[in-house]
Amino acid sequence: LSMIVWASLAAPIPLFVLSFAFEDHGQMVQVLTRPSLLTVASIAFLAWPATVFGFGMWSFLMSRYPTNIVSPFALLVPVFGIASGVLILDEPFGLAAISGSALVFAGLALTILGPRLLVRSATNRLS
């Protein structure tokens, strides 16, 4: 967890530069100078409980289960991020988000269930 905390210090500067290059400057200035309560609450939630819970659970699972079982579920991080934005911040849930989420779920299902289905299929062919 401490490695993640220290590694997270490197991301804000390049992300701010990219945001400044590609985002609307007027909106950026407004958010930085007069943030809404929702903005402050979202940042506080992401900075502390969500990060600590997420990486705490990840460490807990990695200590108890093999890496090849746990690591495919990291694919769900963007899906839960999109879902949180839709539910909490009333973000739009467009075709791209739906398609991407479905693709992630399909890939995860194939990764988790694929080997079992192949073994079952081979067993059925042999009998």
Side-chain angles (χ1 to χ4, degrees):
L1 185 61
S2 62
M3 182 193 80
I4 297 299
V5 171
W6 282 107
S8 297
L9 293 175
I13 294 170
L15 289 175
F16 180 79
V17 169
L18 286 170
S19 183
F20 189 78
F22 294 106
E23 300 281 333
D24 176 25
H25 292 161
Q27 184 180 11
M28 184 184 251
V29 168
Q30 179 184 355
V31 169
L32 291 174
T33 57
R34 294 183 307 276
S36 69
L37 182 60
L38 181 60
T39 301
V40 172
S42 297
I43 291 170
F45 177 76
L46 286 172
W48 179 247
T51 301
V52 170
F53 174 76
F55 285 109
M57 285 303 298
W58 184 259
S59 298
F60 172 79
L61 292 170
M62 292 295 280
S63 70
R64 285 172 177 64
Y65 299 101
T67 304
N68 63 330
I69 300 296
V70 177
S71 61
F73 289 95
L75 295 170
L76 293 175
V77 170
V79 175
F80 278 93
I82 292 169
S84 298
V86 170
L87 294 173
I88 298 169
L89 302 174
D90 200 29
E91 299 249 340
F93 192 51
L95 183 60
I98 293 169
S99 302
S101 298
L103 187 62
V104 167
F105 276 113
L108 184 60
L110 185 62
T111 301
I112 300 297
L113 302 174
R116 293 179 187 163
L117 295 175
L118 285 175
V119 168
R120 187 175 293 161
S121 175
T123 306
N124 288 341
R125 276 188 265 152
L126 293 174
S127 51

